[in-house]
């Protein structure tokens, strides 16, 4: 069984079919747009919420981090729910959660309703982050799979940039409630649009809904190729049964620990943790707070965050063009190298009190390096290194660890700065980048243009410490 049903027909898919799939991908990624907006809006809103409803430093940190706890909890269960109810229903549920969460935060008269709103928004974030890589991987032809999965990160950066711009617009009158209300609009749109999207053909076939799967595949690849794809999928399922692979042993969370799946799990979880502990969200979440340390006003700090958001978006678009040409491993290695150097210089800049412009340049190089590699490539690989039967749970596991690591780093960042200073914290992130380089070089395979059966030998060889493709 290939990593996605449509990939079997990729060579014969007409351009019209590819355009249709790309269109679906954009609508699916409205969920990741909302993830970016939800994580970005708090950076500017906190500068005004803290005074309006009298938040302490601890409460401010909790208002940011509670979203991450909600995301972690939701990501853990999304894989199983998506297997039971399907992809599109869960996507619609994410839209509902986002809409409720933004509305509660906007209406909050005090701390606790704000926290409840952020928690429910976090549940939407967790569902979206765990579901979208699986959904995109299952509907994407292999030649545009990298492009499709990179949309995940691209739309997150668009959402974050829009949040920064919205923050800037409403900063003039300190209207933080409007910042949250804006997010409710695309959330309602997602809930409505999800019901009109196609279901994953892989999920439909696994549910025995063969005719429905054929209709979906016919819309993309034509009737003849749809029949061939379904037949190939069923043949692979029979071969798996002939090998003696029991469904109870290979499916669900237990399946992630089987010998066949473990190498992909190590890669997925390893990259999920690394993507956060290199410190990227300390820059994206706390850019205004960090820049305030250089004596800038709150509004000027938000302007700096908008500049960072523009660069983040621009370099993610560059990655979108490179991901299916240069490959996954080269982008990861270049990304970690650039991040390590720039965050090390940033740390030194804080230690010797260089100008805000120098610090901004370091941040821009750091964010650019992240956006071209570690940002989008993690989500691409997460949709490629698991067998089809384990893809939903594998994506859930990677997403869960990503949000849990995000929570740990974001919660510890400001207190750690208070103890050892901003400069030393950024130097720690530089050391993590060096470790990340070693991890990627040793364990992460190239997945460009390959289905899981072709990726698996390299994954297994690397996990056993044997000679592997470089």
């Amino acid at each position: 069984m290939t990593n996605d049903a449509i990939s079997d027909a990729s060579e014969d898919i007409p351009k019209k079919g590819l355009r249709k799939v790309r269109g679906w991908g954009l609508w699916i990624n409205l969920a990741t747009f909302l993830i970016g907006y939800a994580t970005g809006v708090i950076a500017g809103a906190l500068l005004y919420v803290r005074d309006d409803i009298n938040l302490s430093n601890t409460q401010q940190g909790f208002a940011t981090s509670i979203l991450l706890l909600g995301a972690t909890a939701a990501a853990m269960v999304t894989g199983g729910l998506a297997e039971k109810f399907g992809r599109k229903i869960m996507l619609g549920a994410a839209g509902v959660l986002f809409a409720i969460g933004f509305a509660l935060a906007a209406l909050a008269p005090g701390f606790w309703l704000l926290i409840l709103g952020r928690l429910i928004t976090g549940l939407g974030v967790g569902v979206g982050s765990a579901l979208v890589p699986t959904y995109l991987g299952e509907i994407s032809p292999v030649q545009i799979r990298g492009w499709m999965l990179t949309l995940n990160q691209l739309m997150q950066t668009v959402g974050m940039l829009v949040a920064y711009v919205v923050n800037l617009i409403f900063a003039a009158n300190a209207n933080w409630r409007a910042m949250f209300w804006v997010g409710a609009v695309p959330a309602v749109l997602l809930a409505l649009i999800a019901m009109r999207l196609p279901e994953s053909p892989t999920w439909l076939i696994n549910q025995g809904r063969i005719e429905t799967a054929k209709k979906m595949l016919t819309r993309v690849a034509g009737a003849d190729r749809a029949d061939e794809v379904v037949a190939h999928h069923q043949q692979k399922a029979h071969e798996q049964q002939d090998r003696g692979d029991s469904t109870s042993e290979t499916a669900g969370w237990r399946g992630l620990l089987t010998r066949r799946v473990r190498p992909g799990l190590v890669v997925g979880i390893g990259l999920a943790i690394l993507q956060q502990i290199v410190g990227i969200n300390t820059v994206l979440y706390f850019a205004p707070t960090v820049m305030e340390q250089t004596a800038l006003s709150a509004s000027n700090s938000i302007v700096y965050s908008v500049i960072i958001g523009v660069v983040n978006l621009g370099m993610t678009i560059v990655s979108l063009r490179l991901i299916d040409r240069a490959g996954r491993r080269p982008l990861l290695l270049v990304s970690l190298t650039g991040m390590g150097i720039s965050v090390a210089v940033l740390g030194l800049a804080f230690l010797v009190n260089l100008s805000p412009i120098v610090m901004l340049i370091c941040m821009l190089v750091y964010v650019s390096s992240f956006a071209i590699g570690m940002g989008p490539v993690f989500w691409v690989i997460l949709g490629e290194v698991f067998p089809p039967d384990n893809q939903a749970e594998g994506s859930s596991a990677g997403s869960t660890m990503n949000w849990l690591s995000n929570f740990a780093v974001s919660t510890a960042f400001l207190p750690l700065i208070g103890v050892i200073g901003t400069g030393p914290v950024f130097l720690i992130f530089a050391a993590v980048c060096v470790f990340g380089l070693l991890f990627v070089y040793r364990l992460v395979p190239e997945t460009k243009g390959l289905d899981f059966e072709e990726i698996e030998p390299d994954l297994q060889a690397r996990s056993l410490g044997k000679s592997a493709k470089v």
Side-chain angles (χ1 to χ4, degrees), residues 423-448:
V425 170
F426 284 133
L427 292 176
I428 291 173
F429 292 147
V432 173
C433 289
V434 174
F435 172 79
L437 275 169
L438 297 175
F439 178 88
V440 170
Y441 184 81
R442 184 67 196 89
L443 292 176
V444 178
E446 182 55 70
T447 59
K448 180 185 72 171

Side-chain angles (χ1 to χ4, degrees), residues 256 261-272 386 439 443 463:
L256 298 180
V261 183
R262 274 197 307 268
L265 184 66
V266 170
V267 169
I269 287 181
L271 288 177
F386 295 102
F439 178 88
L443 292 176
S463 71

Side-chain angles (χ1 to χ4, degrees), residues 70-81 126-127 130 253 393 396-397 399-401:
T72 301
M76 290 179 66
V77 300
T78 295
L81 292 175
V127 173
W253 287 97
E393 286 81 6
S396 276
S399 182
T400 298
M401 292 307 301

